[in-house]
Amino acid sequence: MTQKGPPVCNLISVQIQLLRDGLRCWLREYWGANSIMKSKEHTRQVRNMVLEKFKAGLGYKKISQALNISRSTVQSIIRKWKEYGTTVNLPRQGRPPKLTGRTRRSLIREAAKRPMVTLDEMQRATAQVGETVHRTTISRALHKCGLYGRVARRKPLLKENHKKSRLQFARSHVEVTANMWKKVLWSDETKIELFGHNAKRYAWRRNNTAHHSENTIPTVKYGGGSIMLWGCFSSAGTGKLVKVDGKMDGAKYRAILEENLLESAKDLRLGRRFTFQQDNDPKHKARATMEWFKKKNIHVLEWPSQSPDLNPIENLWQDLKTAVHKRSPSNLTELELFCKEEWARISVTRCAKLVETYPKRLAAVIAAKGGSTKY
């Protein structure tokens, strides 16, 4: 009796299956070499098998080996079951993200480590790992974790010795009583330019009208000239405001003190036992200047270098410049006049508040370990 061969239909189905298996192997090798193809979702049957083995007491590693799938996939399936009670694919919210979680975390770490890194640099970094995305996509990813692009503040350069002296000053004065700060006469110099106030201004305008005269702020080279001012204040109000003629040197500084310091202290009713504050400018710390203070029996507050944020008069300088430039002085004579008028208008309440909250500045320096503060 002769043996019959397999049916033709069975041979065709076997050949088709072999072609499919060969195609799968080729695609697996091709996409593995290019490492761009996204991973395929496992069937619901595979996910249920993972769940059954997990309920049977098997660990992630044994389940991974038994089903020949990665351990992270096993962990993800079980985590989803614990959270939602099912392994079925749930409805998704919108389009899947272009950035993978790993790349997104890498961008966040880079931005936190290097705050000055640009979006272009991060875009090139993502392209190197095979994820080409727009700059806006990177920006949105950073926004979601609370990182926003902002203009960097300009602060004095603080070296370690500066931080140490600032921290020492703050710690030694943070417990000082409020009455002591009321006895301090704060002083400083500042330069005010005629057209040089750099505050941002906004204008409501139509497209293509940015350069129309009504939508621009006129500027003059070198600020159109400037004046140097010396001033002082206490919690009782503002003291004298003096224009400095020419370049300030030690002799000129002592002349200003001779004519204005004691008179300001008298006007502000600070009494004889007040403390004078000045920064560590060389003309302030000159031997002749320090001898002048000693001769006049004036106690000078020991001051840490590079610390304008510890001097509340800086806030008054900002108030003064804002008020003066709102009046739009047309020449240096008007500029000086407006400065003296606006200085006299600064309220006692404003001065008292700056002195009253001074311990907060010291606390901020301590919190920053001697570093820069918001003041």
Side-chain angles (χ1 to χ4, degrees):
M1 184 175 180
T2 58
Q3 185 178 3
K4 294 182 179 180
V8 177
C9 60
N10 291 344
L11 290 173
I12 294 175
S13 63
V14 170
Q15 290 176 349
I16 292 174
Q17 186 64 37
L18 290 173
L19 287 173
R20 286 177 178 172
D21 293 339
L23 181 61
R24 286 197 191 99
C25 291
W26 180 84
L27 287 173
R28 192 180 298 114
E29 292 175 0
Y30 174 80
W31 290 117
N34 289 273
S35 65
I36 299 176
M37 183 179 181
K38 292 189 178 294
S39 59
K40 184 179 178 181
E41 287 184 349
H42 291 285
T43 62
R44 185 175 180 182
Q45 182 181 2
V46 172
R47 283 176 271 164
N48 289 337
M49 289 174 63
V50 170
L51 187 57
E52 288 174 3
K53 291 183 179 298
F54 176 72
K55 289 180 178 179
L58 273 67
Y60 293 164
K61 186 176 181 180
K62 289 185 177 180
I63 298 174
S64 173
Q65 293 172 347
L67 300 178
N68 196 25
I69 57 178
S70 68
R71 184 174 176 178
S72 61
T73 302
V74 174
Q75 187 176 4
S76 177
I77 293 171
I78 295 173
R79 188 192 308 118
K80 181 178 181 181
W81 173 75
K82 287 181 177 179
E83 185 173 355
Y84 298 104
T86 181
T87 59
V88 177
N89 285 335
L90 300 175
R92 298 173 181 174
Q93 296 181 354
R95 179 181 176 181
K98 295 273 287 183
L99 286 171
T100 63
R102 183 176 183 179
T103 305
R104 186 178 67 254
R105 291 190 297 271
S106 176
L107 291 172
I108 294 170
R109 285 195 303 269
E110 183 67 15
K113 184 179 179 181
R114 293 198 303 142
M116 299 294 180
V117 66
T118 64
L119 285 174
D120 289 333
E121 291 175 337
M122 289 190 282
Q123 187 181 33
R124 288 193 292 270
T126 57
Q128 289 177 358
V129 297
E131 297 184 33
T132 304
V133 295
H134 196 270
R135 297 165 72 252
T136 308
T137 303
I138 299 174
S139 180
R140 280 198 295 263
L142 296 176
H143 290 173
K144 287 181 179 179
C145 69
L147 293 173
Y148 297 89
R150 297 289 185 263
V151 177
R153 302 289 180 89
R154 295 185 178 274
K155 292 287 186 176
L157 174 63
L158 294 176
K159 298 181 180 180
E160 286 304 317
N161 59 321
H162 296 143
K163 294 180 181 179
K164 186 177 180 180
S165 62
R166 284 164 54 85
L167 188 57
Q168 183 179 358
F169 176 85
R171 285 175 173 170
S172 61
H173 291 85
V174 72
E175 300 294 339
V176 171
T177 62
N179 288 331
M180 184 273 181
W181 296 119
K182 290 180 181 179
K183 288 287 186 178
V184 176
L185 185 64
W186 308 88
S187 73
D188 194 20
E189 298 94 25
T190 190
K191 183 177 76 170
I192 300 185
E193 294 181 344
L194 186 60
F195 300 114
H197 195 54
N198 293 323
K200 288 184 178 180
R201 299 287 297 278
Y202 293 88
W204 295 102
R205 62 175 179 81
R206 299 184 183 277
N207 290 336
N208 303 319
T209 62
H211 300 288
H212 291 188
S213 59
E214 64 271 17
N215 298 328
T216 61
I217 300 175
T219 61
V220 180
K221 196 173 183 180
Y222 308 118
S226 62
I227 60 174
M228 178 70 74
L229 299 173
W230 176 91
C232 61
F233 91 103
S234 75
S235 64
T238 55
K240 299 291 184 181
L241 185 71
V242 182
K243 177 191 172 187
V244 180
D245 295 320
K247 185 178 180 180
M248 173 83 90
D249 55 17
K252 190 168 293 185
Y253 180 64
R254 289 189 294 275
I256 291 175
L257 296 179
E258 186 74 45
E259 296 174 7
N260 301 279
L261 193 156
L262 292 175
E263 188 174 349
S264 295
K266 182 180 179 181
D267 294 341
L268 296 172
R269 299 182 180 181
L270 294 179
R272 295 182 179 180
R273 301 182 64 180
F274 69 92
T275 300
F276 181 69
Q277 181 276 333
Q278 61 176 5
D279 59 29
N280 292 333
D281 190 285
K283 56 182 170 288
H284 298 172
K285 304 294 288 186
R287 180 181 298 177
T289 304
M290 300 308 294
E291 289 178 354
W292 183 88
F293 285 123
K294 188 176 181 180
K295 182 180 178 182
K296 298 292 183 178
N297 294 319
I298 298 174
H299 177 255
V300 179
L301 184 65
E302 196 67 30
W303 193 252
S305 298
Q306 297 288 84
S307 300
D309 56 337
L310 285 174
N311 192 348
I313 200 173
E314 297 291 344
N315 299 76
L316 294 188
W317 288 143
Q318 185 62 37
D319 294 348
L320 177 67
K321 292 174 182 179
T322 301
V324 167
H325 285 96
K326 281 183 179 179
R327 299 177 63 177
S328 301
S330 57
N331 53 59
L332 295 180
T333 303
E334 278 192 354
L335 180 61
E336 180 184 358
L337 176 63
F338 292 169
C339 284
K340 291 184 176 180
E341 290 177 353
E342 296 300 331
W343 184 255
R345 289 176 183 170
I346 295 176
S347 67
V348 176
T349 305
R350 171 65 167 158
C351 297
K353 189 67 174 179
L354 288 173
V355 176
E356 180 185 343
T357 58
Y358 192 72
K360 292 183 178 180
R361 295 176 186 253
L362 301 177
V365 172
I366 295 173
K369 298 181 180 179
S372 299
T373 67
K374 67 178 183 178
Y375 295 97

